[in-house]
Amino acid sequence: MAAGYPGPPPLTWVRVFSAWQLTPATVAALLLAAAYLAAVRRLRARGGQWPATRCWSFVAGGVGALVLVNSAFIGVYAGVLFWARAVQNVTLLMIVPMFFAMGAPLTLLRELAPPSVRAPLGRALRSRLARKLTFPLVVTPIFLVPLPLVYLTPIYPASLEHGWVAALVGTGLVGAGWTYFWTRFRVDPTPRTDPYLVSLGISAAEVVLDGALGLFVWLGPLLAPHYYLALGRPWGPDVRLDQIIGAGVLWIGGDLAGLPFLAVVLRRMTGEDAEQAALVDAELDHQELLDSRAALERAAAPEAAGTQPAAEPDRPRLWWEDHPELAERFRRQ
């Protein structure tokens, strides 16, 4: 070990599983998990229902990932290895907030809030300002810009040198990711209900941007060279190779982290299509029942009056007959 090196010892397989540190972010994450579970317990005590999958998503997925990248070996070595910091940042932007959004914390708060609080919150959520702020062209940059902003500006070296800057960067990444996944998943109530195809388009743009950022980090100049060279780390990859590995994390790791998002979006898209088809079928069945009853009443009326039945008037067009796709599916034979 070189004299004056202030970092942790060499990263070995043993250290991968044994390295651990307690950070303020870990404490905040554990308190957040405790508050979430307490709210779920209170809701169930009042007779409400809350899916266990949401608890697992929020606590095991979101809080668990947050604890791992701050307190496990990734967090321990994030200050001395470029690639470890890259793993941490990608996780904070794309993994932690995705699981938080799947846990539906806003719905949980709404269920527990008194009516005096719930009503104004609902009005704020449905307001024109909220709809504008969650418009896809606003939400997309919020999700796509943070990583390039961190790595291509002095923010990155500042986050290495100052703990409070690193805390702000981490909070900003989680907040940006949460805003995106909240509005795209729509597990919680949202101001807008944009088509899921918009989410798929944003994912395609994210893949392109990840590639561009990874390529720049790979082939471009050293990032925060004064910090890493002054660190004098006597083990592991050199500064250039370390940054190349980190470029791969930002490029390929970011794309891999987006795969669960695509799976959730496709599942919810399929579920909504099935629900819409079921509603259409139910309405068509109801309309057919009403038509049958009307036909029976018209057939019975002339018989009771001893007169010949009048010519059947033209049947009014149903709402779905003017919809090309539904008319093709449900056109009467």
Side-chain angles (χ1 to χ4, degrees), residues 32-307:
L32 187 63
Y36 183 92
L37 293 175
V40 171
R41 182 177 180 181
R42 181 181 174 187
L43 177 64
R44 290 175 174 173
R46 290 167 44 177
Q49 300 294 324
W50 194 254
T53 53
R54 293 183 178 178
C55 293
W56 281 103
S57 295
F58 192 92
V59 177
V63 173
L66 189 57
V67 170
L68 286 177
V69 297
N70 280 283
S71 289
F73 82 97
I74 291 296
V76 173
Y77 288 88
V80 297
L81 289 171
F82 185 98
W83 68 262
R85 177 74 66 155
V87 171
Q88 187 180 65
N89 287 337
V90 169
T91 303
L92 292 176
L93 178 67
M94 303 190 66
I95 301 298
V96 172
M98 179 179 64
F99 282 111
F100 279 169
M102 292 171 62
L106 296 183
T107 300
L108 182 60
L109 290 175
R110 183 188 63 182
E111 292 295 326
L112 295 175
S116 59
V117 175
R118 189 183 308 172
L121 287 179
R123 288 193 297 269
L125 192 64
R126 296 187 298 268
S127 66
R128 181 177 300 179
L129 177 61
R131 289 179 56 81
K132 289 182 178 180
L133 291 177
T134 54
F135 186 66
L137 292 180
V138 176
V139 174
T140 300
I142 291 177
F143 181 65
L144 298 182
V145 167
L147 285 181
L149 183 65
V150 169
Y151 283 98
L152 304 183
T153 69
I155 292 177
Y156 183 69
S159 69
L160 294 170
E161 297 170 359
H162 306 286
W164 64 271
V165 177
L168 288 179
V169 169
T171 303
L173 291 175
V174 174
W178 155 256
T179 302
Y180 174 73
F181 291 112
W182 163 53
T183 57
R184 297 301 94 204
F185 283 164
R186 303 204 300 265
V187 180
D188 274 324
T190 57
R192 305 178 58 87
T193 55
D194 298 300
Y196 282 114
L197 289 177
V198 175
S199 301
L200 299 181
I202 297 174
S203 296
E206 186 263 335
V207 169
V208 174
L209 195 62
D210 283 345
L213 178 61
L215 195 63
F216 177 84
V217 175
W218 176 23
L219 301 176
L222 290 175
L223 302 181
H226 300 295
Y227 174 84
Y228 286 112
L229 293 175
L231 191 65
R233 174 171 46 82
W235 53 267
D238 60 42
V239 176
R240 169 55 69 177
L241 180 58
D242 184 23
Q243 182 165 313
I244 292 175
I245 298 172
V249 171
L250 294 172
W251 187 344
I252 302 174
D255 295 340
L256 292 177
L259 293 180
F261 166 74
L262 292 177
V264 173
V265 168
L266 291 175
R267 180 174 61 84
R268 291 189 62 81
M269 184 189 303
T270 304
E272 284 196 359
D273 289 343
E275 291 176 3
Q276 183 180 11
L279 290 174
V280 170
D281 291 340
E283 187 165 350
L284 290 175
D285 292 340
H286 178 67
Q287 186 63 48
E288 185 176 357
L289 179 61
L290 293 179
D291 291 345
S292 299
R293 289 179 178 177
L296 291 175
E297 291 175 357
R298 289 195 298 270
E303 181 180 347
T307 60

